[in-house]
Structure formats: structure tokens, C-alpha cells
Amino acid sequence: MAIAYLNPGTAVDITNWDSSLTSELAQGETANTWQTTANNSNLTVGLTDFDFSGLGASSITSVQVVLVGNYDARSGAWSANTNILNSSSVSLYSDLLSVPAGRSASTISGTVRTTSDGSTAWTDSDLDGMQLRVSSVDCTDKGQMIQLYIKVIYSTGYGNTVNGVTAANIGKINGVATASISKVNGI
């Protein structure tokens, strides 16, 4: 399994946030903090596309929203309602993430989503043009985000499932026991 990140690329809507450079929210960024300026904050970003063939992906296993942030107060939390949106801005999945109080950032992950619609496996076209929205009615001017992105788990290459043969039986297909394969390829 391999991991890729769909990072914010474009701003679709920014309401009650003090920043505007969406690239500052990318996975691994730590230099900048987005802070809410009032309740009813809303941020919708277009995400970078998934490079299916460039990464050598054979299938997409799951997607998951990740938010790194904090609530700049001594107690309490702010509720971050996240929505994964398709390229037509239709909500696919939502998670309510509780961002805890404190000066140190916490990493809060949403539910692992293994299908694009509850039954169909994710495809490259499902991820291309995807958007991510985070909104909160209770953040006042203390909700802070450092990172906001989607984590994609995917498989690479072709396994035995392509030809439907288990590893234990591959020797029966090509006539060579797995232990003797070096005799065939000269290694």
C-alpha cells in the first residue's frame, strides 16, 4: 500500500477565516496557521488531482479527511464539520471532527472511506476535481488550522489477483515452483 495526499489547490469559498493562501494548508506544512475570525466559518477548497498512472496505482483502497489544528482556548473545542465533495460540489461524505483546546496542534482524522458512494470502489475520476469543505458554527475567533487535506491509500502494480491465482498456486500455472524460479530467470 502507498499513500498520496490531495492538498488544497484553489479557494472556492472563504468565510470568516483570516487567510487566503490555500497552499498553506497542505500536508506537512507547519509554518502557517489559519484562524477563524467569527462563528459560522466556512472554507471550501478545490483539491489537487490524484495522479493515478503517474504513481503506478492499480487501485484506490480508501480516502480520509485529515485536519491538523487546535482551539486557542484553555478548555472546550470547536466542531469542524467536514464534507468531501465531488467535482460537481455534491457532498459524498461528512465527518464532525472535534478540535480540542490548547496551544499544541492535534491531528484529527475522519472516517476511512473505502467506496465512492457506499458500494462502488474509488476511481481516479472520482478523486479528480474533488473538493473539501470545513465549516463551524461554534469557533468564535479561536479555531485554528495548520493542515487540511485528504489522505489516499492506494495499491501499486499488479498482484496475483489480476490472474486470479494465489501465491501458493502460482507454480502450477507457470510450471515452476516458487522456490525454483531462480533457475528460470538465471538469478
Side-chain angles (χ1 to χ4, degrees), residues 156-168:
T156 59
Y158 297 97
N160 290 330
T161 56
V162 172
N163 62 20
V165 179
T166 64

Side-chain angles (χ1 to χ4, degrees), residues 85-87 92 116 120-130:
L85 311 169
N86 67 14
S87 59
L92 301 175
S116 62
T120 308
W122 290 101
T123 66
D124 184 30
S125 61
D126 292 329
L127 301 185
D128 290 347
M130 189 178 277

Side-chain angles (χ1 to χ4, degrees), residues 17 27 60 62 64 67 74 76 84 114 118 131 137 150 158-159 186:
W17 287 94
Q27 186 276 334
I60 299 167
S62 66
Q64 181 181 35
L67 185 152
R74 291 185 180 179
I84 297 174
T114 57
Q131 298 175 13
V137 297
I150 290 185
Y158 297 97

Side-chain angles (χ1 to χ4, degrees), residues 135-152:
S135 57
S136 181
V137 297
D138 65 347
C139 54
T140 61
D141 59 351
K142 300 177 188 293
Q144 296 183 344
M145 282 193 302
I146 299 168
Q147 298 170 26
L148 177 68
Y149 56 90
I150 290 185
K151 177 181 176 181
V152 179

Side-chain angles (χ1 to χ4, degrees), residues 65-90:
V65 172
V66 178
L67 185 152
V68 178
N70 62 293
Y71 183 60
D72 191 14
R74 291 185 180 179
S75 62
W78 65 280
S79 299
N81 185 23
T82 62
N83 286 280
I84 297 174
L85 311 169
N86 67 14
S87 59
S88 300
S89 300
V90 174

